[in-house]
Amino acid sequence: MAWFRTLTRFSATAKSWPVRTIPTSPSLLLTSLRYFSTGAAVDNRPPPARCGDLEPTRGGEKPRVVVLGSGWAGCRLMKGIDTNIYDVVCVSPRNHMVFTPLLASTCVGTLEFRSVAEPVGRIQPAISTEPGSYFFLSNCKGIDAENRRVHCETVTEGPNTPDPWKFNVSYDKLVIALGAEALTFGIRGVNEHAIFLREVHHAQEIRRRLLLNLMLSDVPGTTEQEKSRLLHCVVVGGGPTGVEFSGELSDFITKDVRQRHAHVKDYIRVTLIEANEILSSFDDRLRQYATKQLTKSGVRLVRGIVKDVESHKIVLDNGTEVPYGLLVWSTGVGPSSLVKSLDLPKSPGGRIGIDEWLRVANVPDVFAIGDCSGFVESTGKPVLPALAQVAERQGKYLAGLLNRIGKAGGGRANSGAELDLGDPFVYKHMGSMATIGRYKALVDLRKSKEGKGISLAGFLSWFIWRSAYLTRVVSWRNRFYVAVNWLTTMVFGRDISRI
């Protein structure tokens, strides 16, 4: 047989190959066996010293713009910056931007998580391709404005990853877009037991917790009282995020839980707790409509103030105890601890103080945009609300401003102070939108809370809401993902796999 003759020839050839001996010194043997040890190897050697900073730019190089943060403001700035003029360096603990208006839809499977995450490298391709532009997965730990350096520390996770190390990044122009953090008002237990709906990993945790509670409540031996607690979803905060999540959750219960978890369908419920009125920035008529529709969808509205949060219940100011299996906290945002710690001028409320051109007051070559910034009192302008449209508008304006400065030769550090900056930043409110479930939404196109304008509610508003946000998704790739996810959910229902 042909294959047997081939095998015989191969065996004869192998016998004629020279045999190489491997040294078997004790040190080499121990080193080799270490890789096959089943126990944890103990290495007493000190970790390798890490050093190296991103030094200041030189004469033949492009000036460097360092952007702190990858939220709405920072990413819109990077998208609009002219990379023929500047090198761009982004420092952020996440390598993507989150399309927050659609984040609530990912918690219940209406959208997949990657549909609302846009990689920074796709928003500004120069970060991945240009030799002087970088993205550093790091946290900003401080700013040395006098020496024009940003102190950074790498982000690492897990037991087998390198320990974080520190480094410095020098800048010609610095843009602070650090965003904000959820307000807890100093209430005990919020950070330990509540979930904030601000990042993709928050939505992932909410989804896993919700599906886990659904499945645990169906296990034999679970008491009626425990089922009632596990399947009680409590949302604290009646702003757009809290209302939209409550609406999505009520849709999920009505259309999916009642079909696929029939044994416990009568136990699951949603409670929305708000200290004042829900959707306080919307028109009165729209607020009443939202209240009516949420109540009809099965969402229980409770007016009260949370005083204490425990592992299985929250306590209101009137002494009422509310047991819960899932607690989502959405009570607004405020300056982060890092923003508070920076030795920079502050605006009313603790944000970084800026002038009409978004420059940090009295600090050359430093700008601040987004939720971390606010006009100083000397400008006579109010602090703008922490909205995505404010941050996006500021990022777009500042990109144009920096491009003009760079073209006029002011891109380097300590240059451009005498240049004409043009018109200052002016914010014009474009209106607000929110979905409340059951193919209904609110559209409030008033320029201000006291002003007059168009306000709509119902199915037409829901269609406008979806159309508007579909066009605002950053890339065509994610627009396609969102449209396909919406169509798939409408035809086949939501995915309830716990992954």
Side-chain angles (χ1 to χ4, degrees):
M1 292 178 288
W3 65 270
F4 183 76
R5 288 195 297 272
T6 303
L7 179 62
T8 304
R9 286 197 301 270
F10 177 79
S11 300
T13 304
K15 290 179 180 178
S16 63
W17 288 349
V19 178
R20 298 181 60 187
T21 59
I22 301 176
T24 57
S25 63
S27 60
L28 179 60
L29 182 60
L30 289 174
T31 303
S32 302
L33 290 175
R34 181 182 303 168
Y35 294 99
F36 299 94
S37 173
T38 57
V42 179
D43 191 351
N44 295 322
R45 293 176 300 175
R50 298 182 184 272
C51 59
D53 299 332
L54 197 59
E55 300 296 339
T57 55
R58 300 174 182 175
E61 300 174 338
K62 292 183 286 187
R64 181 186 300 142
V65 174
V66 176
V67 182
L68 304 181
S70 58
W72 280 85
C75 285
R76 185 59 185 87
L77 168 82
M78 288 187 284
K79 182 180 180 181
I81 202 77
D82 189 346
T83 53
N84 293 319
I85 302 175
Y86 296 102
D87 285 329
V88 181
V89 175
C90 179
V91 178
S92 176
R94 67 183 190 194
N95 72 338
H96 60 272
M97 168 193 162
V98 180
F99 194 81
T100 47
L102 297 179
L103 189 59
S105 298
T106 65
C107 299
V108 295
T110 306
L111 295 177
E112 290 301 320
F113 300 111
R114 293 192 182 275
S115 301
V116 300
E118 195 70 47
V120 172
R122 185 174 289 115
I123 294 173
Q124 179 46 264
I127 285 178
S128 305
T129 58
E130 295 295 326
S133 297
Y134 305 95
F135 172 81
F136 297 138
L137 190 71
S138 307
N139 284 309
C140 170
K141 307 302 287 187
I143 297 172
D144 183 357
E146 182 178 353
N147 296 306
R148 288 178 168 77
R149 290 185 300 186
V150 178
H151 305 304
C152 306
E153 184 178 82
T154 59
V155 173
T156 58
E157 297 178 357
N160 297 320
T161 55
D163 293 331
W165 66 91
K166 298 180 179 180
F167 62 97
N168 298 317
V169 176
S170 299
Y171 63 84
D172 291 294
K173 306 294 181 188
L174 175 64
V175 180
I176 305 173
L178 293 170
E181 64 182 24
L183 288 174
T184 63
F185 306 102
I187 300 173
R188 186 177 67 89
V190 174
N191 288 316
E192 292 80 8
H193 306 300
I195 304 176
F196 306 104
L197 187 52
R198 294 185 52 79
E199 302 285 349
V200 171
H201 66 86
H202 293 153
Q204 291 173 328
E205 185 177 357
I206 289 172
R207 182 169 175 175
R208 287 178 59 83
R209 181 81 60 84
L210 177 62
L211 294 174
L212 176 64
N213 290 349
L214 274 169
M215 289 180 280
L216 285 179
S217 61
D218 211 8
V219 174
T222 307
T223 64
E224 298 291 313
Q225 183 179 1
E226 184 66 3
K227 281 184 182 181
S228 180
R229 183 193 68 80
L230 283 172
L231 297 179
H232 188 198
C233 305
V234 176
V235 183
V236 179
T241 300
V243 169
E244 289 188 336
F245 175 70
S246 300
E248 288 280 355
L249 198 52
S250 66
D251 266 4
F252 175 65
I253 293 170
T254 303
K255 298 177 182 177
D256 298 274
V257 173
R258 295 191 184 281
Q259 294 179 8
R260 306 179 191 183
H261 293 275
H263 299 99
V264 294
K265 65 180 181 180
D266 296 327
Y267 292 89
I268 188 166
R269 63 197 192 282
V270 183
T271 297
L272 176 60
I273 300 175
E274 168 58 41
N276 299 301
E277 295 284 343
I278 65 170
L279 300 174
S280 58
S281 62
F282 281 71
D283 179 78
D284 290 340
R285 184 178 64 85
L286 296 183
R287 288 207 306 268
Q288 294 173 5
Y289 180 85
T291 301
K292 179 180 177 182
Q293 291 300 320
L294 287 173
T295 304
K296 187 184 296 185
S297 300
V299 179
R300 179 181 170 225
L301 301 179
V302 175
R303 181 173 294 186
I305 300 174
V306 178
K307 287 297 184 182
D308 192 19
V309 178
E310 300 179 13
S311 59
H312 290 162
K313 66 180 180 180
I314 61 175
V315 181
L316 303 183
D317 55 342
N318 59 5
T320 303
E321 295 184 351
V322 183
Y324 68 87
L326 172 67
L327 177 61
V328 177
W329 194 270
S330 177
T331 57
V333 296
S336 66
S337 55
L338 172 61
V339 168
K340 294 177 182 177
S341 69
L342 294 176
D343 187 18
L344 296 173
K346 297 297 193 297
S347 70
R351 299 186 187 184
I352 298 173
I354 56 175
D355 64 10
E356 296 95 326
W357 291 272
L358 310 184
R359 301 175 297 185
V360 176
N362 302 318
V363 184
D365 297 325
V366 180
F367 303 81
I369 53 178
D371 297 349
C372 69
S373 65
F375 292 116
V376 293
E377 289 182 306
S378 60
T379 63
K381 293 186 175 184
V383 176
L384 296 175
L387 298 174
Q389 60 175 299
V390 175
E392 184 183 31
R393 212 78 54 79
Q394 288 181 330
K396 181 179 180 180
Y397 169 85
L398 185 55
L401 177 61
L402 290 176
N403 290 340
R404 290 197 303 273
I405 292 174
K407 289 177 181 177
R412 295 284 175 190
N414 294 317
S415 63
E418 305 301 325
L419 294 176
D420 180 17
L421 299 182
D423 296 331
F425 174 77
V426 177
Y427 171 68
K428 295 181 180 179
H429 188 63
M430 301 300 292
S432 305
M433 295 185 292
T435 179
I436 53 177
R438 291 194 173 188
Y439 303 110
K440 293 179 177 62
L442 313 176
V443 176
D444 190 350
L445 300 182
R446 295 177 303 161
K447 300 299 182 182
S448 65
K449 187 175 179 181
E450 295 78 18
K452 294 182 179 180
I454 300 173
S455 58
L456 304 171
F459 178 80
L460 178 60
S461 299
W462 174 83
F463 183 79
I464 295 173
W465 175 84
R466 281 208 166 181
S467 301
Y469 281 143
L470 186 61
T471 60
R472 300 303 297 165
V473 173
V474 178
S475 69
W476 283 102
R477 168 184 173 271
N478 276 18
R479 290 175 194 171
F480 176 76
Y481 281 173
V482 169
V484 170
N485 288 165
W486 278 341
L487 180 61
T488 303
T489 300
M490 187 177 296
V491 176
F492 300 106
R494 294 170 177 83
D495 180 17
I496 59 171
S497 303
R498 186 175 183 269
I499 301 174

